[in-house]
Amino acid sequence: YLVNHGYVVLGLNYRGSFGFGKEFFRADHRKHGREPLLDCIAAKEYLARTGYVDPSAIGIIGASFGGYMALAALAFHPEEFAAGVNICGVSDLLSFARNLPRYWDAQRFYEKLGDPVREEELLRSISPFFYADRITKPVMILQGATDPRCPREQSDEMVAAIRSSGGEVEYLIYDDEAHGFRKRKNAIHAYEAILNFLDRHLKAVQCFNQRSNHAITRFR
């Protein structure tokens, strides 16, 4: 959908992703907000080197844990991406770890990200919620009201924190959705909204740079 509207899209399997062996999966243990995020930045730098992508008009988008990565990128490396979209992603890993769903394997979560009792400062240090004042680029957050994995409170509090710091955030809540978009009408509405958001904050930058005689080739 985004490619058909003029965007270059790079899908990134940052360290910790499934499907590449145990060593790769474990490569992000207790490193979230740092090394896996650096993989996202390296991907952005790769796009910038292609010659047909405007380096000043690259955004980051993700869903679920990818949504967390989008928020982390904007909070911990605020100058790297021009805009970010978070679809049902957590923002406060400390609160999240303290209130894991009963059916989750809590110990596995603690091994991956950190124990909320013994490693409170670690989880706090990698939670975008506590660094919302660092976010200077536009953000879009989409949330299902009944999401059991990423509770709505995570997004509500992140939006409030960004706005209280003077940041720009667009917030969409879907009352009849949980984790992601299961209903076609909601998926259509959500991705049309995402496209409009990206057009305003990425294509507008690209058009400005073209008027400024920057050497840019628009992807078609």
Side-chain angles (χ1 to χ4, degrees), residues 91-217:
S91 60
D92 181 352
L93 290 172
L94 179 59
S95 172
F96 186 74
R98 288 172 172 169
N99 299 280
L100 290 176
R102 292 183 179 179
Y103 58 88
W104 278 30
D105 184 345
Q107 191 56 42
R108 184 178 178 184
F109 179 93
Y110 298 162
E111 290 174 359
K112 191 79 167 171
L113 288 103
D115 187 303
V117 176
R118 296 182 314 222
E119 298 172 293
E120 176 179 343
E121 287 307 312
L122 170 63
L123 289 169
R124 183 183 293 272
S125 71
I126 60 175
S127 296
F129 170 73
F130 298 105
Y131 301 90
D133 60 327
R134 298 184 183 180
I135 296 177
T136 59
K137 301 300 171 61
V139 188
M140 183 179 211
I141 296 178
L142 302 96
Q143 175 72 44
T146 61
D147 193 334
R149 298 186 182 181
C150 174
R152 175 179 171 175
E153 291 77 15
Q154 289 270 332
S155 293
D156 287 348
E157 293 173 0
M158 188 67 197
V159 169
I162 294 173
R163 287 175 175 167
S164 68
S165 301
E168 180 180 352
V169 58
E170 185 172 335
Y171 190 25
L172 295 179
I173 302 171
Y174 293 85
D175 291 333
D176 56 347
E177 289 287 6
H179 196 61
F181 304 110
R182 304 299 181 187
K183 296 179 173 60
R184 184 176 178 82
K185 66 180 179 64
N186 291 336
I188 292 172
H189 180 274
Y191 280 96
E192 285 181 345
I194 290 170
L195 177 65
N196 291 332
F197 173 83
L198 295 177
D199 282 351
R200 291 196 306 274
H201 298 293
L202 298 186
K203 284 191 175 180
V205 170
Q206 189 178 52
C207 290
F208 174 80
N209 287 341
Q210 287 177 324
R211 289 197 298 270
S212 301
N213 297 319
H214 287 207
I216 298 168
T217 301

Side-chain angles (χ1 to χ4, degrees), residues 16-32:
S17 300
F18 285 104
F20 302 93
K22 292 181 179 180
E23 184 177 353
F24 191 80
F25 175 71
R26 293 170 178 162
D28 69 339
H29 278 32
R30 290 177 171 77
K31 296 178 181 178
H32 292 85

